[in-house]
Amino acid sequence: MAQISDRVNRLAASATFAMLQKSNELSAQGVDVVNMSVGEPDFNTPDYVKKAAVDAVEQNYSKYSPVPGYMWLRKACSDKLKRENNLDYAPAEILVSTGAKQSLCNVIMAIINPGDEVLLPSPCWVSYPEMVKLAGGVPVAIRAGIDQDFKVTAEQVEAAITPKTKAIMICSPSNPTGSVYSREELESIAKVLNKYPDVFIVSDEIYEHINFIGGHQSMAQFVDKDRIAVINGVSKAYAMTGWRIGFMAGPEWLVKACNKLQGQYTSGTCSVAQKAAQVAFDGPQDDVEKMRQVFQKRRDLIVSLAKEVPGFEVNNPQGAFYLFPKCDSYFGKRYGDKVINSAEDLAMYLLEVGHVATVGGTAFGSPECIRFSYATSEDKIKEAFRRVKEALANLK
Ligand code: PMP
Ligand code: GLU
């Protein structure tokens, strides 16, 4: 019988999707679960975007799309980068993919050889180390705890660089912490990286628009264009997670390499979704701002509620829609014959007993934390924290 490859055996399953599935299973059994596990906006895709997709179906956008994306969408991405980020990327320097996840994975697969080290400011999103491992590379975490707002310093980055360092993956606003690097912080990291021109930079800016400090700063402003890939997409800003459109902006040699990979692996992404994404980028941006404001109110709410939970330590996230409380004061506590030994045990306890779905921090590189996604209504956030407090009070 066929055996699973070592490559796949080495890979961890996505912890975010695993918790989503568990939460959905409990809901299907009739349990009223507040789902704060997976990170996706709870809003509907804006109407004008949906209409563009309906029109595309009627206009027979039903053939294979060009592997790197339709030229008009690559142009819309290029215009977006100029308009919103003041970055100059020609359409030929853009590659559209099946979500930002594929854009990231393409880049890692295109530049990482077995044994290459990839620096991961950590906590980081669950998929980064797994993508690096898939390419045969070695993920190297640079740890930043809650005492430094989960952000690494330029000195830490420099100390982690070795002759084997091939790339660094930076995410701001960050999943899972919501931390946002300031212009000065990015500049000081760029200053270090500029001393090491062989280290390629992957800048994941998918949460760009969910930012509470008044404006996004792209790492691409501070380094040579030939050594950075900017990753973005429509999933978070336009509430389009299911449409699966992301893009990479980078040097043409990298676009060509990713194009080759994508041409053998997935082909061009969904033609209808590309039409919708074009309209999302080119159309009115009012809905994006409205959603951002709602997220900011929810951020204020969840931070105040989490601060009231005994034993939780929280930062004040400046972007994205995650809260990542430090909760290790509960480790070693019991509920009946169950012992909470880890963040995963705590997340499972909160799900099974409190009926609140979260994600344990280990898969993000922080075994002392759990992640709450607050992309849900204020009422649900309030109810979740009522349950969390009650469940935690029962731990002895
Ligand atoms: N980067 C980060 C940090 C994310 O949290 C996600 C989650 N969706 C992605 C990339 C992937 O986004 P997409 O849905 O566009 O693949
Ligand atoms: N990025 C989201 C999360 O972290 C969606 C799930 C995923 O792609 O991992 O929950």
Side-chain angles (χ1 to χ4, degrees), residues 23-215:
S23 166
N24 287 343
E25 278 165 15
L26 268 188
S27 299
Q29 290 164 24
V31 180
D32 162 35
V33 178
V34 182
N35 182 9
M36 300 183 81
S37 62
V38 81
E40 65 175 338
D42 52 324
F43 303 109
N44 289 325
T45 300
D47 285 340
Y48 64 94
V49 175
K50 290 195 284 197
K51 182 168 181 313
V54 172
D55 291 347
V57 171
E58 279 170 1
Q59 289 160 16
N60 294 309
Y61 274 84
S62 51
K63 300 282 194 277
Y64 284 126
S65 61
V67 173
Y70 282 111
M71 200 35 111
W72 36 258
L73 179 54
R74 298 166 81 193
K75 168 88 170 53
C77 298
S78 152
D79 292 347
K80 172 254 174 287
L81 289 166
K82 185 66 193 166
R83 187 177 64 241
E84 297 185 339
N85 311 105
N86 198 26
L87 296 174
D88 290 302
Y89 282 95
E93 295 169 307
I94 310 276
L95 184 99
V96 175
S97 299
T98 304
K101 193 178 259 180
Q102 189 185 14
S103 305
L104 286 160
C105 203
N106 278 345
V107 172
I108 295 299
M109 293 301 270
I111 63 173
I112 298 304
N113 280 317
D116 287 344
E117 293 177 0
V118 179
L119 303 182
L120 303 177
S122 173
C124 67
W125 182 39
V126 293
S127 292
Y128 294 168
E130 303 312 312
M131 289 174 182
V132 172
K133 278 156 59 185
L134 199 57
V138 182
V140 177
I142 312 175
R143 285 274 307 159
I146 196 165
D147 52 311
Q148 51 189 96
D149 192 21
F150 299 114
K151 291 188 276 189
V152 297
T153 62
E155 292 72 31
Q156 283 182 287
V157 171
E158 184 151 33
I161 294 174
T162 75
K164 286 189 176 164
T165 307
K166 190 71 173 280
I168 180 167
M169 298 178 83
I170 294 172
C171 182
S172 177
S174 156
N175 178 3
T177 64
S179 299
V180 178
Y181 284 84
S182 68
R183 184 182 174 90
E184 293 70 32
E185 287 162 341
L186 285 179
E187 259 178 319
S188 70
I189 293 173
K191 213 165 142 192
V192 162
L193 292 173
N194 284 336
K195 289 197 250 169
Y196 303 90
D198 293 338
V199 177
F200 194 81
I201 303 159
V202 182
S203 181
D204 183 348
E205 303 183 13
I206 191 76
Y207 294 99
E208 159 174 20
H209 287 290
I210 307 168
N211 185 317
F212 315 132
I213 54 169

Side-chain angles (χ1 to χ4, degrees), residues 14-17 20 36-40 101 125-127 175-176 206-207 236 241 244 321-322 359 364 371 373:
S14 167
T16 48
F17 283 126
L20 174 66
M36 300 183 81
S37 62
V38 81
E40 65 175 338
K101 193 178 259 180
W125 182 39
V126 293
S127 292
N175 178 3
I206 191 76
Y207 294 99
K236 313 292 172 170
T241 46
R244 312 306 304 130
F321 36 64
Y322 303 108
V359 185
F364 300 99
R371 191 190 78 173
S373 162

Side-chain angles (χ1 to χ4, degrees), residues 40-41 99-100 206 232-246:
E40 65 175 338
I206 191 76
N232 213 323
V234 294
S235 293
K236 313 292 172 170
Y238 302 93
M240 293 176 69
T241 46
W243 297 75
R244 312 306 304 130
I245 299 285

